[in-house]
Each structure stands twice: as C-alpha cells, then as structure tokens.
C-alpha cells in the first residue's frame, strides 16, 4: 500500500543521508556531499511525517523521524512529535516513556525547565513511586529554584524509600523546609525523629 511505499522511499533517503565519505574529495566536493546528505535526511523526514499523518501509530516511521530530528537538532519539532505521541499513546508504559523523553528534552537542549517540571509532575501523578522521575523532578526543580516542586519531589522520595535512603531524603527535606520555606519547626521535628532512629540509619546512601 501507500504507507509501505513511503516507508521504502524514506528508508532509501535515510541510507543516503548516512552514507560514509570515501575521504578522497576536495573541500567543494565535500560540501556538496554534505548538502546532498542534508537534503536526503530532510526528504526522509518529510516522508515519515506524511506516514504519521495517515498512520499515527506507525512505530517504524515514528522511531525513524525521532532519530532524524535528534540528528538534525530540531528540538522544537521533536518536542511536538513526542507530545503528540504521548497524547495518543494507548498504554501507560509507552506514555510514561514518551513523557520522560519530553521532560529530558525540555530540561536539556530546549532549556525550558518550567515545561520540564510540568511534564515531570504529570509523570509523578502517573506513578508516585517512580524514583527515576522523582529524582529528575528534584534535580530540575532545585536548579530552577522551584521550591514548591522541589518540596513535592522530596516528599515523594521520602514516601517511596525505606531505610537509609529514606533517612537521607528526610534530611534533604528538613534542609529545604528550614532554608527555603521558613518552616523551621517542621524541620526540627524531622531532625528530632531522625536523631531517635537506631544508630546507623544515616549510613550508606541508597
């Protein structure tokens, strides 16, 4: 059918865009080769976009377009692609994976920590015990100076952990409460509870 034909053409252009140079060309020829590769990559991307318009669930076209956009450093379009795929995902695991990629894109190449925090907060609602998400939320919130989201992440981390890891998370929570949220009384309460725990509870971190 039409989709198979488009896939075949896209794969052909993709191979052309990734072809290796023989290293025996002058500067002008090398520039021409690079321009041809860029054109082939864009043609492949255009074909994969067309496929996804008519067949949004086509996994091959999605993966190929995602890879091409990353190689082209076309982060804006990649973010839209990931968001649309996440919105249309039919199972929770796929949605979580796509949203995590989207959050990392906002936190990294796009330099948009606020959007990253929105995505990570949404992920946390999907699975409040996911420590990978919790710690990424904590990291981004701390860098962005978002004390509210930082507090959410630390409280989630405390709830998700046990033993030494939980004790250390509670220490971080007490520090945030005292240093940034003017809740010295609550912080002191946490520290007193930690002091009453068995010796060694603040040993090796998880």
């Amino acid at each position: 059918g039409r989709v198979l034909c488009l896939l075949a053409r896209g794969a052909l252009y993709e191979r052309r865009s990734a072809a290796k140079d023989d290293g025996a060309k002058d500067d002008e020829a090398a520039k021409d080769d690079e321009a041809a590769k860029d054109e082939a990559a864009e043609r492949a991307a255009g074909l994969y976009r067309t496929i996804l318009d008519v067949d949004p669930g086509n996994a091959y076209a999605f993966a190929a377009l995602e890879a091409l956009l990353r190689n082209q450093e076309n982060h804006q379009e990649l973010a839209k692609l990931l968001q649309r795929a996440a919105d249309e995902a039919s199972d929770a695991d796929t949605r979580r994976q796509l949203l995590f990629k989207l959050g990392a894109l906002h936190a990294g190449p796009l330099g948009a920590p606020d959007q990253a925090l929105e995505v990570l907060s949404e992920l946390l609602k999907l699975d409040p015990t996911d420590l990978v998400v919790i710690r990424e939320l904590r990291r981004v919130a701390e860098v962005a100076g978002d004390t509210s989201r930082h507090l959410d992440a630390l409280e989630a981390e405390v709830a998700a952990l046990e033993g030494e890891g939980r004790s250390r998370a509670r220490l971080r929570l007490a520090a945030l409460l005292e240093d940034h949220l003017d809740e010295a009384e609550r912080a002191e309460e946490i520290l007193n509870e930690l002091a009453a725990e068995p010796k060694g509870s603040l040993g090796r971190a998880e």
Side-chain angles (χ1 to χ4, degrees), residues 35-184:
K37 287 181 181 180
D38 289 344
E39 183 181 355
E42 187 50 45
R43 288 194 176 194
L47 288 164
Y48 293 136
R49 291 184 191 104
T50 300
I51 292 167
L52 291 172
D53 284 341
V54 298
D55 182 12
N58 192 294
Y60 182 92
F62 176 84
L65 182 56
E66 180 186 358
L68 284 167
L69 293 176
R70 287 189 188 278
N71 288 338
Q72 295 172 334
E73 298 185 355
N74 188 346
H75 304 306
Q76 292 287 352
E77 184 178 348
L78 179 57
K80 292 176 183 177
L81 178 73
L82 292 170
Q83 183 66 70
R84 185 176 74 170
D87 291 342
E88 295 173 351
S90 58
D91 67 279
D93 285 343
T94 299
R95 178 173 169 74
R96 282 196 295 268
Q97 291 169 14
L98 291 164
L99 287 175
F100 193 82
K101 287 182 181 181
L102 180 60
L105 193 64
H106 282 305
L110 284 172
D114 290 344
Q115 287 93 325
L117 289 170
E118 289 292 335
V119 173
L120 290 166
S121 295
E122 183 179 351
L123 271 170
L124 189 60
K125 291 176 184 176
L126 294 174
D127 184 359
T129 65
D130 188 330
L131 284 169
V132 174
V133 171
I134 289 169
R135 286 167 176 162
E136 181 66 1
L137 177 61
R138 170 162 62 87
R139 184 190 70 79
V140 177
E142 187 172 8
V143 171
D146 189 326
T147 52
S148 176
R149 292 263 172 62
H150 195 179
L151 178 63
D152 290 344
L154 282 173
E155 289 179 334
E157 192 172 24
V158 168
L161 289 170
E162 296 179 356
E164 297 165 2
R166 184 172 187 271
S167 296
R168 288 189 173 275
R170 294 187 76 200
L171 268 180
R172 289 191 289 269
L173 175 59
L176 180 70
L177 290 168
E178 184 168 4
D179 296 342
H180 298 287
L181 293 170
D182 196 26
E183 292 193 40

